[in-house]
Amino acid sequence: TGGHTTEILRLLSCLSESYSPRHYVLADSDKMSEAKIRSFEQKRAETFSKSQFTLDRIPRSREVRQSWISSVVTTLYSILYSLPLTYKRKPDLILCNGPGTCVPVCLSAFLLGLLRIKRTIIVYVESICRVETLSLSGKILYYFSDYFIVQWPDLKKKYPKSVYLGRIV
Amino acid sequence: FRFKDSLAEDLQSADLVISHAGAGSCLETLEKGKPLIVVINDKLMDNHQLELAKQLHRDGYVLYCNCSTLVETLQSMDLAALKPFPPGQPEKFASFLDKVFGLQ
């Protein structure tokens, strides 16, 4: 969604073409991100002609302020939906930064890792908006990610296993 | 105006921006190098949105007030005291990932 997409595209901006092909996963209800992504990839293709990417959509796992119990149900549904997608793509790396959409994708990849089907490195970058507290996605994925990156020093203190690189977006 | 795709043009021609505490608005404004006064609406604001505005204020990048103190802030503001906002460094992230994957 909006701010998350802008942030993640900034994170991608300095990556080399080793990080290719890129598979974007969006919530089905997200109207704006697709245009931003296509624009980013188009520009990228101007420099790196062999640049490749795909775009998939999954059901949104949770609406803002959705109740806890119904969130568990909708997230489980999204995980089930994500499993075949993650299995198909078998990514070496999952990069995410906080929208609810990323939780089922990461958890499905984590599951595939446990089942020894594919070991994916999960890198989570908490949004720049999070200075003192983690988002709900962050609180969950702190335990499931391989690298958990925060952008403010207070969070590094509170979550010692995190990585602090300063502001990266 | 209601909703525009991009405020970039308006931001470019502004001398001062007064905004709510939304992260997108704050960062876009600061990145264009425009002085910013963030107005907090305590009743409407979701706590986490305030975190960034507060931090930006603590670091000296923005001025900060609520609806009732806006006029007073405008009258007594010293925009020259605001610090320039350094850009984020995505290259540090790229470097980090390259190390993780042994690409350096």
Side-chain angles (χ1 to χ4, degrees):
Chain A
T1 50
H4 289 289
T5 304
T6 304
E7 282 201 48
I8 209 147
L9 292 177
R10 288 188 184 193
L11 286 173
L12 295 182
S13 64
C14 294
L15 294 184
S16 71
E17 267 309 283
S18 304
Y19 299 90
S20 197
R22 285 171 293 283
H23 306 290
Y24 294 90
V25 181
L26 280 67
D28 50 12
S29 50
D30 186 340
K31 306 271 181 266
M32 301 189 307
S33 298
E34 183 163 349
K36 287 186 189 167
I37 292 168
R38 290 194 185 279
S39 165
F40 170 83
E41 287 290 339
Q42 195 169 26
K43 252 193 155 163
R44 195 164 172 109
E46 285 163 21
T47 321
F48 303 104
S49 55
K50 295 225 178 76
S51 202
Q52 286 179 291
F53 77 102
T54 65
L55 233 127
D56 288 295
R57 288 187 179 268
I58 59 172
R60 186 160 176 167
S61 31
R62 181 178 174 262
E63 299 299 325
V64 179
R65 295 192 224 288
Q66 186 178 330
S67 83
W68 199 88
I69 297 196
S70 74
S71 297
V72 173
V73 175
T74 54
T75 302
L76 276 172
Y77 174 67
S78 299
I79 296 176
L80 257 107
Y81 197 98
S82 308
L83 264 169
L85 175 61
T86 312
Y87 179 78
K88 173 169 133 186
R89 300 287 182 214
K90 294 203 185 66
D92 299 307
L93 163 68
I94 290 184
L95 178 60
C96 56
N97 68 344
T101 316
C102 68
V103 176
V105 177
C106 290
L107 292 180
S108 65
F110 186 80
L111 194 55
L112 292 177
L114 286 179
L115 296 172
R116 301 267 186 270
I117 295 175
K118 171 73 187 178
R119 173 75 172 93
T120 302
I121 298 206
I122 300 174
V123 175
Y124 181 93
V125 181
E126 185 61 285
S127 168
I128 187 137
C129 306
R130 293 300 187 158
V131 180
E132 293 161 23
T133 61
L134 287 191
S135 61
L136 181 55
S137 304
K139 286 182 187 154
I140 296 169
L141 292 174
Y142 181 64
Y143 300 101
F144 293 96
S145 56
D146 294 282
Y147 297 94
F148 189 91
I149 302 177
V150 296
Q151 302 193 56
W152 296 94
D154 264 354
L155 286 177
K156 169 68 187 168
K157 280 192 214 126
K158 290 185 186 153
Y159 298 93
K161 288 194 273 175
S162 67
V163 174
Y164 172 66
L165 302 169
R167 259 191 300 125
I168 50 178
V169 299
Chain B
F1 32 68
R2 296 247 74 213
F3 290 108
K4 276 184 167 185
D5 279 339
S6 165
L7 287 169
E9 267 181 48
D10 297 281
L11 274 181
Q12 202 55 50
S13 50
D15 295 311
L16 169 67
V17 175
I18 302 172
S19 165
H20 75 144
S25 313
C26 292
L27 294 174
E28 222 184 311
T29 305
L30 287 174
E31 283 164 1
K32 286 233 171 349
K34 301 294 177 176
L36 172 61
I37 300 179
V38 176
V39 184
I40 309 293
N41 180 342
D42 313 307
K43 296 165 206 132
L44 201 61
M45 229 72 258
D46 160 354
N47 278 333
H48 109 251
Q49 282 221 355
L50 288 182
E51 286 179 28
L52 183 61
K54 272 197 217 153
Q55 185 64 44
L56 291 174
H57 171 69
R58 251 180 251 139
D59 290 341
Y61 300 122
V62 304
L63 291 177
Y64 188 79
C65 67
N66 55 41
C67 301
S68 45
T69 55
L70 178 57
V71 175
E72 177 190 319
T73 306
L74 284 169
Q75 288 167 337
S76 62
M77 67 189 182
D78 175 14
L79 296 179
L82 290 178
K83 295 201 202 135
F85 186 68
Q89 297 173 284
E91 59 275 13
K92 286 202 174 153
F93 173 68
S95 195
F96 174 80
L97 267 193
D98 285 346
K99 283 200 200 96
V100 167
F101 288 97
L103 293 172
Q104 276 208 335

